[in-house]
Amino acid sequence: QAARFYYKYLLSEQGKPARAYLVNRGLDAKTVKKFGLGYAPEAWGEVYHYLKGLGYRDEALLAANIVARGKNNRCYDQFRGRIIFPIIDLRGNVIAFGGRTMGDKGPKYLNSADTPVFKKSRNLFSLNFAKNFKEKTLILAEGYMDVIAMHQAGFANAVATFGTALTAEQARLIS
């Protein structure tokens, strides 16, 4: 549901600057849709209130690393003012998110921390697409945008780690 929210927000009027950023980076609408890219609003509680309205409990949203708890014990959105990259497992389930700032504010990338369903060391970005590539090869790239650009250029076997060194578990996935 969070991935759907971010995608719809990207396509909304408020997402216009984020869409312009993606176009400037060379991505077309087909690629944006294929990867389910989105945009997290600059606000502190948009996603939180949306998901609460759907019946999700704070404990589930915290465990999924979609929200964090502040000093005042209130929950706030983990991703704000960022391009959102859904991380999808081999079965097609969104299991985490990466977020890239469009400016100089904060760290360039913010990734979901490990959760009960996502371990950075045991996953590869875009493996869900690369596994269906006609050749039994993979291209290991540095990051989300590199992988997405390569897919758009026809190299659907590109994958990336999540800002970490290649782990033994990831090497097993590649093999």
Side-chain angles (χ1 to χ4, degrees):
Q1 290 300 324
R4 287 186 181 106
F5 175 92
Y6 294 134
Y7 180 74
K8 286 179 186 175
Y9 203 86
L10 176 69
L11 300 181
S12 73
E13 184 61 32
Q14 297 92 328
K16 193 173 182 178
R19 288 194 312 276
Y21 173 85
L22 292 170
V23 167
N24 190 49
R25 293 291 306 264
L27 300 186
D28 61 31
K30 182 179 173 187
T31 300
V32 168
K33 184 175 182 178
K34 174 183 175 179
F35 282 88
L37 302 184
Y39 181 62
E42 192 65 57
W44 288 81
E46 295 276 332
V47 175
Y48 173 68
H49 294 298
Y50 171 76
L51 294 171
K52 287 289 286 184
L54 294 176
Y56 289 93
R57 295 181 15 234
D58 287 357
E59 295 77 19
L61 300 175
L62 289 160
N65 205 235
I66 294 170
V67 301
R69 194 176 298 278
K71 293 176 186 172
N72 59 5
N73 210 33
R74 294 172 59 184
C75 291
Y76 62 90
D77 294 352
Q78 190 75 281
F79 300 98
R80 296 175 307 283
R82 293 177 177 271
I83 302 292
I84 298 295
F85 301 87
I87 298 166
I88 302 168
D89 69 11
L90 290 172
R91 292 180 296 280
N93 300 309
V94 175
I95 57 172
F97 296 100
R100 188 197 194 288
T101 186
M102 295 184 300
D104 298 329
K105 188 174 145 190
K108 185 176 181 180
Y109 281 96
L110 180 64
N111 297 308
S112 291
D114 286 352
T115 68
V117 297
F118 172 67
K119 303 282 185 251
K120 288 180 217 172
S121 63
R122 296 182 187 156
N123 289 281
L124 291 164
F125 179 71
S126 192
L127 188 59
N128 59 310
F129 294 124
K131 72 176 182 165
N132 298 321
F133 193 65
K134 61 187 172 281
E135 297 177 32
K136 296 297 178 198
T137 61
L138 290 179
I139 299 170
L140 185 59
E142 184 180 2
Y144 305 124
M145 288 299 291
D146 301 319
V147 167
I148 293 169
M150 285 199 279
H151 275 252
Q152 185 172 281
F155 298 95
N157 57 334
V159 298
T161 61
F162 300 101
T164 61
L166 187 65
T167 67
E169 293 96 338
Q170 291 165 329
R172 277 192 286 282
L173 277 174
I174 289 171
S175 71

